[in-house]
Coordinates of all heavy atoms in Angstrom, one line a residue:
M1 N -132.3 -88.0 229.4 CA -133.1 -89.1 228.8 C -132.1 -90.1 228.2 O -131.1 -89.8 227.6 CB -134.0 -88.6 227.7 CG -135.2 -87.9 228.3 SD -136.3 -87.5 226.9 CE -137.2 -86.1 227.7
I2 N -132.5 -91.4 228.2 CA -131.7 -92.5 227.6 C -132.4 -92.9 226.4 O -133.6 -93.2 226.4 CB -131.5 -93.6 228.6 CG1 -130.9 -93.1 229.8 CG2 -130.9 -94.8 228.0 CD1 -130.9 -94.1 231.0
R3 N -131.8 -93.1 225.2 CA -132.3 -93.5 224.0 C -131.9 -95.0 223.8 O -130.8 -95.3 223.9 CB -132.0 -92.7 222.9 CG -132.6 -93.1 221.6 CD -133.0 -91.9 220.8 NE -133.6 -92.3 219.5 CZ -135.0 -92.2 219.4 NH1 -135.7 -91.8 220.4 NH2 -135.5 -92.6 218.3
S4 N -132.9 -95.8 223.5 CA -132.6 -97.2 223.2 C -133.2 -97.7 222.0 O -134.3 -97.3 221.6 CB -133.0 -98.1 224.4 OG -134.5 -98.0 224.5
T5 N -132.6 -98.7 221.3 CA -133.1 -99.3 220.1 C -132.9 -100.8 220.2 O -132.0 -101.2 220.7 CB -132.3 -98.8 218.9 OG1 -132.4 -97.4 218.9 CG2 -132.9 -99.4 217.6
L6 N -134.0 -101.5 219.7 CA -134.0 -103.0 219.7 C -134.6 -103.5 218.4 O -135.6 -103.0 218.0 CB -134.9 -103.4 220.9 CG -135.2 -104.9 221.0 CD1 -133.9 -105.7 221.3 CD2 -136.3 -105.2 222.0
T7 N -133.9 -104.4 217.8 CA -134.4 -104.9 216.6 C -134.8 -106.4 216.9 O -134.0 -107.1 217.6 CB -133.3 -105.0 215.4 OG1 -132.9 -103.7 215.3 CG2 -133.9 -105.5 214.2
A8 N -136.0 -106.8 216.5 CA -136.5 -108.1 216.9 C -136.7 -109.1 215.7 O -137.5 -108.6 214.8 CB -137.8 -108.0 217.7
G9 N -136.0 -110.1 215.7 CA -136.3 -111.2 214.7 C -136.0 -110.8 213.3 O -135.4 -109.7 213.0
I10 N -136.4 -111.7 212.3 CA -136.1 -111.4 210.9 C -137.3 -110.7 210.3 O -137.2 -110.5 209.1 CB -135.8 -112.8 210.3 CG1 -137.0 -113.8 210.3 CG2 -134.5 -113.4 210.7 CD1 -137.0 -115.0 209.6
R11 N -138.3 -110.5 211.0 CA -139.5 -109.8 210.4 C -139.3 -108.3 210.2 O -140.1 -107.6 209.5 CB -140.7 -110.0 211.3 CG -141.1 -111.5 211.3 CD -142.3 -111.6 212.1 NE -142.8 -113.0 212.0 CZ -143.7 -113.5 212.6 NH1 -144.4 -112.7 213.4 NH2 -144.1 -114.8 212.5
G12 N -138.2 -107.7 210.7 CA -138.0 -106.4 210.5 C -138.6 -105.4 211.5 O -138.7 -104.2 211.2
L13 N -139.0 -105.9 212.6 CA -139.6 -105.0 213.6 C -138.5 -104.2 214.3 O -137.5 -104.8 214.6 CB -140.4 -105.8 214.6 CG -141.7 -106.4 214.2 CD1 -142.3 -107.4 215.2 CD2 -142.7 -105.4 213.9
L14 N -138.8 -103.0 214.6 CA -137.8 -102.1 215.3 C -138.5 -101.4 216.3 O -139.6 -100.8 216.1 CB -137.2 -101.2 214.2 CG -136.2 -100.2 214.8 CD1 -134.9 -100.8 215.2 CD2 -135.9 -99.1 213.7
V15 N -137.9 -101.4 217.5 CA -138.4 -100.6 218.6 C -137.4 -99.5 218.8 O -136.2 -99.8 219.1 CB -138.6 -101.4 219.9 CG1 -139.1 -100.6 221.0 CG2 -139.5 -102.6 219.7
A16 N -137.8 -98.2 218.9 CA -137.0 -97.1 219.2 C -137.7 -96.4 220.4 O -138.8 -96.1 220.2 CB -136.7 -96.2 218.1
G17 N -137.0 -96.2 221.5 CA -137.7 -95.6 222.6 C -136.9 -94.7 223.4 O -135.7 -94.7 223.3
V18 N -137.5 -93.9 224.2 CA -137.0 -93.0 225.1 C -137.5 -93.5 226.5 O -138.7 -93.5 226.7 CB -137.3 -91.5 224.9 CG1 -136.7 -90.7 226.1 CG2 -136.8 -91.1 223.6
V19 N -136.6 -93.9 227.3 CA -137.1 -94.4 228.7 C -137.6 -93.2 229.5 O -137.0 -92.2 229.6 CB -136.0 -95.1 229.4 CG1 -136.4 -95.5 230.8 CG2 -135.4 -96.3 228.6
G20 N -138.7 -93.4 230.1 CA -139.4 -92.3 230.9 C -140.8 -92.0 230.5 O -141.3 -92.7 229.6
G21 N -141.4 -91.1 231.1 CA -142.8 -90.7 230.8 C -143.8 -91.7 231.3 O -143.8 -92.8 231.0
S22 N -144.6 -91.2 232.3 CA -145.6 -92.1 232.9 C -146.9 -91.5 233.1 O -147.6 -91.8 234.0 CB -144.9 -92.7 234.2 OG -144.7 -91.6 235.1
A23 N -147.3 -90.5 232.3 CA -148.6 -89.8 232.5 C -149.7 -90.8 232.4 O -150.7 -90.8 233.4 CB -148.7 -88.7 231.5
L24 N -149.8 -91.7 231.4 CA -150.9 -92.6 231.4 C -150.7 -93.7 232.4 O -151.7 -94.2 232.9 CB -150.9 -93.3 230.0 CG -151.7 -92.4 228.9 CD1 -151.7 -93.1 227.6 CD2 -153.1 -92.1 229.3
A25 N -149.5 -94.1 232.8 CA -149.3 -95.1 233.8 C -149.8 -94.6 235.1 O -150.5 -95.3 235.8 CB -147.8 -95.5 233.9
A26 N -149.6 -93.3 235.4 CA -150.1 -92.7 236.6 C -151.7 -92.7 236.6 O -152.4 -92.9 237.5 CB -149.6 -91.3 236.8
M27 N -152.2 -92.4 235.4 CA -153.6 -92.4 235.2 C -154.3 -93.7 235.4 O -155.3 -93.9 236.0 CB -153.9 -91.9 233.8 CG -155.4 -91.5 233.5 SD -155.5 -90.7 231.9 CE -156.5 -91.8 231.1
A28 N -153.5 -94.8 235.0 CA -154.0 -96.1 235.1 C -154.1 -96.6 236.6 O -155.0 -97.3 237.0 CB -153.1 -97.1 234.3
T29 N -153.2 -96.1 237.4 CA -153.3 -96.5 238.8 C -154.2 -95.6 239.6 O -154.7 -96.1 240.6 CB -151.8 -96.4 239.5 OG1 -151.4 -95.0 239.2 CG2 -150.9 -97.3 238.8
A30 N -154.6 -94.4 239.0 CA -155.5 -93.5 239.7 C -157.0 -93.9 239.5 O -157.9 -93.4 240.1 CB -155.3 -92.1 239.3
Q31 N -157.3 -94.6 238.4 CA -158.6 -95.0 238.0 C -158.9 -96.5 238.0 O -158.0 -97.2 237.7 CB -158.9 -94.4 236.5 CG -158.8 -93.0 236.4 CD -159.0 -92.6 234.9 OE1 -159.4 -93.4 234.1 NE2 -158.7 -91.4 234.6
A32 N -160.1 -96.8 238.4 CA -160.4 -98.2 238.4 C -160.7 -98.7 237.0 O -161.2 -97.9 236.1 CB -161.6 -98.5 239.2
A33 N -160.4 -99.9 236.7 CA -160.7 -100.5 235.3 C -162.2 -100.6 235.2 O -162.9 -100.8 236.2 CB -160.1 -101.8 235.2
P34 N -162.7 -100.4 234.0 CA -164.2 -100.4 233.7 C -164.7 -101.9 233.9 O -164.0 -102.8 233.6 CB -164.3 -99.9 232.3 CG -163.0 -100.2 231.7 CD -162.0 -100.0 232.8
D35 N -166.0 -101.9 234.3 CA -166.6 -103.2 234.4 C -167.0 -103.7 233.0 O -167.3 -102.9 232.1 CB -167.9 -103.1 235.3 CG -167.6 -102.8 236.7 OD1 -166.5 -103.2 237.2 OD2 -168.4 -102.1 237.4
T36 N -167.1 -105.1 232.9 CA -167.6 -105.6 231.6 C -169.0 -105.1 231.4 O -169.8 -105.0 232.3 CB -167.6 -107.2 231.7 OG1 -166.2 -107.5 231.9 CG2 -168.0 -107.7 230.4
G37 N -169.3 -104.7 230.2 CA -170.6 -104.1 229.9 C -170.7 -102.6 230.0 O -171.7 -102.0 229.7
S38 N -169.6 -102.1 230.7 CA -169.7 -100.6 230.8 C -169.5 -99.9 229.5 O -168.9 -100.4 228.5 CB -168.4 -100.3 231.7 OG -168.2 -98.8 231.6
S39 N -170.0 -98.7 229.4 CA -169.9 -97.9 228.1 C -168.4 -97.5 227.9 O -168.0 -97.0 226.8 CB -170.7 -96.7 228.1 OG -170.4 -95.9 229.2
T40 N -167.5 -97.6 228.9 CA -166.1 -97.2 228.7 C -165.2 -98.4 228.3 O -164.1 -98.2 228.0 CB -165.6 -96.7 230.1 OG1 -165.7 -97.6 231.1 CG2 -166.2 -95.4 230.5
V41 N -165.8 -99.6 228.1 CA -165.1 -100.7 227.6 C -164.8 -100.4 226.1 O -165.7 -100.0 225.3 CB -165.8 -102.0 227.8 CG1 -165.0 -103.1 227.0 CG2 -165.9 -102.3 229.2
I42 N -163.5 -100.5 225.7 CA -163.1 -100.2 224.3 C -163.3 -101.4 223.4 O -162.7 -102.4 223.7 CB -161.7 -99.6 224.3 CG1 -161.6 -98.4 225.1 CG2 -161.3 -99.3 222.9 CD1 -160.2 -98.0 225.5
T43 N -164.0 -101.3 222.3 CA -164.1 -102.3 221.3 C -162.9 -102.2 220.3 O -162.6 -101.2 219.9 CB -165.4 -102.2 220.5 OG1 -166.5 -102.1 221.4 CG2 -165.6 -103.3 219.5
V44 N -162.3 -103.4 220.1 CA -161.2 -103.4 219.2 C -161.4 -104.2 218.0 O -162.3 -105.1 217.9 CB -159.9 -104.0 220.0 CG1 -159.6 -103.1 221.1 CG2 -160.2 -105.4 220.5
A45 N -160.6 -103.9 216.9 CA -160.8 -104.6 215.6 C -160.1 -106.0 215.7 O -159.3 -106.2 216.7 CB -160.1 -103.8 214.6
A46 N -160.3 -106.8 214.8 CA -159.7 -108.2 214.7 C -158.2 -108.0 214.7 O -157.7 -107.1 214.1 CB -160.1 -108.9 213.5
D47 N -157.4 -108.8 215.5 CA -156.0 -108.8 215.5 C -155.5 -107.5 216.2 O -154.3 -107.1 215.9 CB -155.3 -109.1 214.2 CG -153.9 -109.5 214.5 OD1 -153.5 -110.1 215.4 OD2 -153.0 -109.2 213.5
C48 N -156.3 -106.9 216.9 CA -155.9 -105.6 217.6 C -156.1 -105.8 219.2 O -156.9 -106.6 219.5 CB -156.6 -104.4 217.1 SG -156.2 -104.0 215.4
Q49 N -155.5 -105.0 219.9 CA -155.7 -105.1 221.4 C -155.6 -103.6 221.9 O -154.9 -102.8 221.4 CB -154.6 -106.0 222.1 CG -154.9 -106.2 223.5 CD -154.0 -107.2 224.1 OE1 -153.3 -107.9 223.4 NE2 -153.9 -107.3 225.4
S50 N -156.5 -103.4 222.9 CA -156.5 -102.0 223.5 C -155.9 -102.2 224.9 O -156.0 -103.2 225.6 CB -157.9 -101.5 223.6 OG -158.0 -100.2 224.1
Y51 N -155.2 -101.1 225.4 CA -154.5 -101.2 226.7 C -155.1 -100.1 227.5 O -154.6 -98.9 227.4 CB -153.1 -101.1 226.5 CG -152.6 -102.2 225.7 CD1 -152.5 -102.1 224.3 CD2 -152.1 -103.4 226.3 CE1 -152.1 -103.2 223.5 CE2 -151.7 -104.4 225.5 CZ -151.7 -104.3 224.1 OH -151.2 -105.4 223.4
W52 N -156.2 -100.3 228.3 CA -156.9 -99.3 229.0 C -155.9 -98.6 230.0 O -155.1 -99.4 230.7 CB -158.1 -100.0 229.8 CG -159.0 -99.0 230.4 CD1 -160.0 -98.3 229.8 CD2 -158.9 -98.5 231.8 NE1 -160.6 -97.5 230.7 CE2 -159.9 -97.6 231.9 CE3 -158.0 -98.8 232.8 CZ2 -160.1 -96.9 233.1 CZ3 -158.3 -98.1 234.0 CH2 -159.3 -97.2 234.1
P53 N -155.9 -97.3 230.3 CA -156.8 -96.3 229.8 C -156.6 -95.7 228.5 O -157.3 -94.8 228.1 CB -156.8 -95.3 231.0 CG -155.4 -95.3 231.3 CD -154.9 -96.8 231.2
S54 N -155.6 -96.1 227.8 CA -155.4 -95.5 226.4 C -156.4 -96.0 225.4 O -156.8 -97.1 225.4 CB -154.0 -96.0 225.9 OG -153.8 -95.5 224.6
P55 N -157.0 -95.0 224.7 CA -158.0 -95.4 223.8 C -157.5 -96.0 222.4 O -158.3 -96.3 221.6 CB -158.7 -94.0 223.5 CG -157.6 -93.0 223.6 CD -156.7 -93.6 224.8
Y56 N -156.1 -96.0 222.2 CA -155.6 -96.5 221.0 C -155.3 -97.9 221.0 O -155.0 -98.5 222.0 CB -154.3 -95.7 220.8 CG -154.5 -94.2 220.8 CD1 -154.0 -93.5 221.9 CD2 -155.2 -93.6 219.8 CE1 -154.3 -92.1 221.9 CE2 -155.4 -92.2 219.8 CZ -155.0 -91.5 220.8 OH -155.2 -90.1 220.9
Q57 N -155.6 -98.6 219.8 CA -155.4 -100.0 219.6 C -153.9 -100.2 219.0 O -153.4 -99.4 218.3 CB -156.4 -100.5 218.6 CG -157.8 -100.4 219.0 CD -158.8 -100.9 218.0 OE1 -158.4 -101.6 217.1 NE2 -160.0 -100.4 218.1
V58 N -153.4 -101.4 219.4 CA -152.2 -101.8 218.9 C -152.5 -103.1 218.1 O -153.1 -104.0 218.6 CB -151.2 -102.1 220.0 CG1 -149.8 -102.5 219.4 CG2 -151.0 -100.9 220.8
C59 N -152.0 -103.2 216.9 CA -152.4 -104.3 216.0 C -151.3 -105.2 215.3 O -150.2 -104.7 215.3 CB -153.2 -103.8 214.8 SG -154.7 -102.8 215.4
G60 N -151.7 -106.4 214.9 CA -150.8 -107.2 214.1 C -149.4 -107.5 214.8 O -149.3 -107.8 215.9
E61 N -148.4 -107.4 213.9 CA -147.0 -107.8 214.4 C -146.5 -106.8 215.4 O -145.7 -107.2 216.3 CB -146.1 -107.7 213.1 CG -146.4 -108.8 212.1 CD -146.1 -110.2 212.5 OE1 -145.4 -110.4 213.4 OE2 -146.7 -111.1 211.9
I62 N -146.9 -105.5 215.3 CA -146.5 -104.6 216.3 C -147.1 -105.0 217.7 O -146.4 -104.9 218.7 CB -146.9 -103.1 215.9 CG1 -146.2 -102.8 214.7 CG2 -146.8 -102.1 217.1 CD1 -146.6 -101.4 214.1
K63 N -148.4 -105.4 217.8 CA -149.0 -105.9 219.0 C -148.3 -107.1 219.5 O -148.1 -107.1 220.8 CB -150.5 -106.3 218.7 CG -151.2 -106.8 219.9 CD -152.5 -107.5 219.5 CE -152.1 -108.7 218.7 NZ -152.9 -109.8 218.7
D64 N -147.9 -108.0 218.7 CA -147.2 -109.2 219.2 C -145.9 -108.8 219.8 O -145.5 -109.3 220.9 CB -147.0 -110.2 218.0 CG -148.2 -110.8 217.5 OD1 -149.3 -110.7 218.2 OD2 -148.2 -111.3 216.4
L65 N -145.1 -107.9 219.2 CA -143.8 -107.5 219.8 C -144.1 -106.7 221.1 O -143.4 -107.0 222.1 CB -143.0 -106.7 218.8 CG -141.7 -106.2 219.4 CD1 -140.8 -107.3 219.8 CD2 -141.0 -105.3 218.4
Y66 N -145.1 -105.8 221.1 CA -145.4 -105.0 222.2 C -145.7 -105.9 223.4 O -145.2 -105.7 224.5 CB -146.5 -104.0 221.8 CG -146.9 -103.1 222.9 CD1 -146.1 -102.2 223.6 CD2 -148.3 -103.2 223.4 CE1 -146.5 -101.3 224.5 CE2 -148.7 -102.3 224.4 CZ -147.9 -101.4 224.9 OH -148.3 -100.5 225.9
N67 N -146.5 -106.9 223.2 CA -146.9 -107.8 224.2 C -145.7 -108.6 224.7 O -145.6 -108.8 225.9 CB -148.0 -108.8 223.8 CG -149.4 -108.1 223.7 OD1 -149.6 -107.1 224.4 ND2 -150.2 -108.6 222.9
S68 N -144.8 -109.0 223.8 CA -143.7 -109.8 224.2 C -142.7 -109.0 225.0 O -141.9 -109.5 225.9 CB -143.0 -110.4 223.1 OG -142.2 -109.4 222.3
L69 N -142.7 -107.7 224.9 CA -141.8 -106.8 225.7 C -142.4 -106.5 227.1 O -141.7 -105.8 227.8 CB -141.5 -105.5 224.9 CG -140.7 -105.7 223.5 CD1 -140.7 -104.3 222.8 CD2 -139.3 -106.1 223.9
G70 N -143.7 -106.8 227.2 CA -144.3 -106.4 228.5 C -145.5 -105.5 228.4 O -146.0 -105.1 229.4
A71 N -145.8 -105.1 227.2 CA -147.0 -104.2 226.9 C -146.9 -102.9 227.7 O -145.8 -102.3 227.8 CB -148.3 -104.9 227.1
A72 N -147.9 -102.5 228.4 CA -148.0 -101.3 229.1 C -147.0 -101.2 230.2 O -146.7 -100.1 230.8 CB -149.4 -100.9 229.5
Q73 N -146.6 -102.4 230.7 CA -145.7 -102.5 231.9 C -144.2 -102.4 231.5 O -143.3 -102.3 232.3 CB -145.9 -103.8 232.7 CG -147.2 -103.8 233.5 CD -148.5 -104.0 232.6 OE1 -148.4 -104.7 231.6 NE2 -149.5 -103.3 232.9
S74 N -144.0 -102.3 230.2 CA -142.6 -102.2 229.7 C -142.2 -100.7 229.6 O -143.0 -99.8 229.9 CB -142.6 -102.8 228.2 OG -143.2 -101.8 227.3
A75 N -141.0 -100.5 229.2 CA -140.4 -99.1 229.1 C -141.2 -98.3 228.1 O -141.3 -97.1 228.1 CB -138.9 -99.1 228.8
L76 N -141.8 -99.0 227.1 CA -142.6 -98.3 226.2 C -143.9 -97.6 226.7 O -144.4 -96.6 226.3 CB -143.1 -99.2 225.0 CG -142.0 -99.7 224.1 CD1 -142.4 -100.8 223.2 CD2 -141.5 -98.5 223.3
S77 N -144.5 -98.3 227.8 CA -145.7 -97.8 228.5 C -146.9 -97.9 227.5 O -147.0 -98.8 226.7 CB -145.5 -96.4 229.0 OG -146.5 -96.0 229.9
F78 N -147.8 -96.9 227.6 CA -149.1 -96.9 226.9 C -149.0 -96.4 225.4 O -148.2 -95.4 225.2 CB -150.2 -96.2 227.6 CG -150.6 -96.9 228.9 CD1 -150.0 -96.6 230.1 CD2 -151.5 -97.9 228.9 CE1 -150.3 -97.2 231.2 CE2 -151.9 -98.6 230.1 CZ -151.3 -98.2 231.2
P79 N -149.9 -96.8 224.5 CA -149.9 -96.2 223.1 C -150.4 -94.8 223.3 O -151.2 -94.5 224.1 CB -151.0 -97.1 222.4 CG -151.2 -98.3 223.3 CD -150.8 -97.9 224.7
T80 N -149.9 -93.9 222.4 CA -150.2 -92.5 222.4 C -151.0 -92.1 221.2 O -151.4 -90.9 221.1 CB -149.0 -91.6 222.5 OG1 -148.1 -91.9 221.5 CG2 -148.3 -91.9 223.9
A81 N -151.1 -92.9 220.1 CA -151.8 -92.6 218.9 C -152.1 -93.9 218.1 O -151.6 -94.9 218.5 CB -150.8 -91.8 218.0
A82 N -153.0 -93.7 217.2 CA -153.4 -94.8 216.3 C -152.3 -95.2 215.5 O -151.3 -94.4 215.2 CB -154.6 -94.4 215.5
E83 N -152.2 -96.5 215.1 CA -151.2 -97.1 214.2 C -151.3 -96.3 212.9 O -152.3 -95.9 212.4 CB -151.4 -98.5 213.9 CG -150.4 -99.2 213.1 CD -150.7 -100.7 212.9 OE1 -150.3 -101.4 213.9 OE2 -151.3 -101.1 211.8
V84 N -150.1 -96.0 212.3 CA -149.9 -95.3 211.1 C -149.4 -96.2 209.9 O -148.4 -96.9 210.3 CB -149.0 -94.0 211.2 CG1 -148.8 -93.3 209.9 CG2 -149.6 -93.1 212.3
T85 N -150.0 -96.2 208.8 CA -149.5 -96.9 207.6 C -148.9 -95.9 206.7 O -149.5 -95.0 206.2 CB -150.6 -97.7 206.9 OG1 -151.2 -98.6 207.9 CG2 -150.0 -98.5 205.8
N86 N -147.6 -96.1 206.4 CA -146.8 -95.2 205.5 C -147.2 -95.7 204.1 O -147.7 -96.7 203.7 CB -145.3 -95.4 205.6 CG -144.9 -94.8 207.0 OD1 -145.3 -93.8 207.4 ND2 -144.2 -95.6 207.8
P87 N -147.0 -94.7 203.1 CA -147.2 -95.0 201.7 C -146.5 -96.3 201.1 O -147.0 -97.0 200.2 CB -146.7 -93.8 200.9 CG -146.8 -92.7 201.9 CD -146.5 -93.4 203.2
D88 N -145.3 -96.6 201.7 CA -144.6 -97.8 201.2 C -145.2 -99.1 201.9 O -144.7 -100.2 201.6 CB -143.2 -97.7 201.5 CG -142.8 -97.7 203.0 OD1 -143.7 -97.7 203.8 OD2 -141.6 -97.5 203.3
G89 N -146.2 -99.0 202.8 CA -146.8 -100.2 203.4 C -146.3 -100.4 204.8 O -146.8 -101.3 205.5
S90 N -145.2 -99.8 205.1 CA -144.6 -99.9 206.5 C -145.6 -99.4 207.5 O -146.4 -98.4 207.1 CB -143.2 -99.4 206.6 OG -143.3 -98.0 206.4
K91 N -145.5 -99.8 208.8 CA -146.4 -99.3 209.8 C -145.5 -98.9 211.1 O -144.5 -99.4 211.2 CB -147.4 -100.3 210.2 CG -148.3 -100.7 209.0 CD -149.2 -101.8 209.5 CE -150.0 -102.3 208.3 NZ -151.5 -102.2 208.5
Y92 N -146.1 -98.0 211.8 CA -145.6 -97.7 213.2 C -146.6 -97.3 214.1 O -147.7 -96.9 213.8 CB -144.5 -96.7 213.1 CG -144.9 -95.3 212.8 CD1 -145.3 -94.4 213.8 CD2 -145.0 -94.9 211.4 CE1 -145.7 -93.1 213.5 CE2 -145.4 -93.5 211.1 CZ -145.8 -92.7 212.2 OH -146.2 -91.4 211.9
S93 N -146.3 -97.6 215.4 CA -147.2 -97.2 216.5 C -146.4 -96.4 217.5 O -145.2 -96.9 217.8 CB -147.8 -98.5 217.2 OG -148.8 -99.1 216.4
T94 N -146.8 -95.4 218.0 CA -146.1 -94.6 219.1 C -146.6 -94.9 220.5 O -147.8 -95.2 220.7 CB -146.2 -93.1 218.8 OG1 -147.5 -92.7 218.8 CG2 -145.6 -92.7 217.5
F95 N -145.7 -94.8 221.4 CA -146.0 -95.1 222.8 C -145.4 -94.0 223.6 O -144.5 -93.3 223.2 CB -145.5 -96.5 223.2 CG -146.0 -97.6 222.4 CD1 -145.3 -97.9 221.1 CD2 -147.0 -98.3 222.8 CE1 -145.8 -98.9 220.4 CE2 -147.6 -99.3 221.9 CZ -147.0 -99.6 220.7
L96 N -145.7 -93.9 224.9 CA -145.1 -92.9 225.8 C -143.6 -93.0 225.8 O -142.9 -92.0 226.0 CB -145.7 -93.0 227.2 CG -147.1 -92.5 227.4 CD1 -147.5 -92.9 228.8 CD2 -147.2 -91.0 227.2
G97 N -143.1 -94.2 225.8 CA -141.6 -94.4 225.9 C -140.9 -94.8 224.5 O -139.8 -95.1 224.5
G98 N -141.6 -94.5 223.4 CA -140.9 -94.8 222.1 C -141.9 -95.3 221.0 O -143.1 -95.1 221.1
T99 N -141.3 -95.8 220.0 CA -142.1 -96.2 218.7 C -141.7 -97.5 218.3 O -140.5 -97.9 218.4 CB -141.7 -95.2 217.6 OG1 -142.1 -93.8 218.1 CG2 -142.5 -95.5 216.4
I100 N -142.7 -98.3 217.8 CA -142.4 -99.6 217.1 C -142.7 -99.4 215.7 O -143.8 -99.0 215.3 CB -143.2 -100.7 217.7 CG1 -142.9 -100.9 219.2 CG2 -143.0 -102.0 216.9 CD1 -143.7 -102.0 219.8
Y101 N -141.6 -99.7 214.8 CA -141.8 -99.7 213.3 C -141.9 -101.1 212.8 O -141.2 -102.0 213.2 CB -140.6 -99.0 212.7 CG -140.3 -97.6 213.2 CD1 -139.6 -97.3 214.4 CD2 -141.0 -96.5 212.6 CE1 -139.3 -96.1 214.8 CE2 -140.7 -95.2 213.1 CZ -139.9 -95.0 214.2 OH -139.7 -93.7 214.6
W102 N -142.8 -101.2 211.8 CA -142.8 -102.6 211.1 C -142.7 -102.3 209.6 O -143.4 -101.5 209.0 CB -144.1 -103.2 211.4 CG -144.6 -104.3 210.5 CD1 -145.6 -104.4 209.6 CD2 -143.9 -105.7 210.4 NE1 -145.6 -105.6 208.9 CE2 -144.6 -106.4 209.4 CE3 -142.8 -106.2 211.0 CZ2 -144.3 -107.7 209.1 CZ3 -142.5 -107.5 210.7 CH2 -143.2 -108.2 209.7

């Protein structure tokens, strides 16, 4: 496995990732996207985005960086868990290929 780290801008965003892992990517190609109005369409909170077929939302500054890197088509691939807020106010989101910290 190859470990990579990228720091973006002065906002303090950090991406740490392991290249590889495509379980959800394979799932995305094996299933058709849901139709608008379908019960499988995922509703997202304000300033958040969902990347089907992952049920997890990516929000705020982390979402902006994730999208700029190529979102689910990047080495990070799909989100694997809900965003976590630490006691100090920092946040992170995990993906199949790594983690973005804010």
Side-chain angles (χ1 to χ4, degrees):
M1 287 188 201
I2 300 170
R3 183 140 182 101
S4 63
T5 302
L6 169 69
T7 304
I10 58 173
R11 293 185 175 173
L13 289 171
L14 175 70
V15 178
V18 177
V19 177
S22 60
L24 279 177
M27 192 168 117
T29 57
Q31 299 178 9
D35 294 329
T36 304
S38 165
S39 62
T40 57
V41 173
I42 300 168
T43 305
V44 296
D47 199 29
C48 294
Q49 188 171 347
S50 183
Y51 302 86
W52 189 87
S54 174
Y56 304 108
Q57 297 178 20
V58 182
C59 303
E61 300 289 340
I62 293 174
K63 175 195 67 151
D64 294 342
L65 178 60
Y66 180 60
N67 285 336
S68 75
L69 294 171
Q73 289 73 40
S74 72
L76 287 171
S77 193
F78 290 95
T80 59
E83 183 177 278
V84 175
T85 302
N86 294 313
D88 67 357
S90 63
K91 300 177 183 236
Y92 69 90
S93 290
T94 58
F95 303 88
L96 286 172
T99 303
I100 299 178
Y101 301 89
W102 164 249

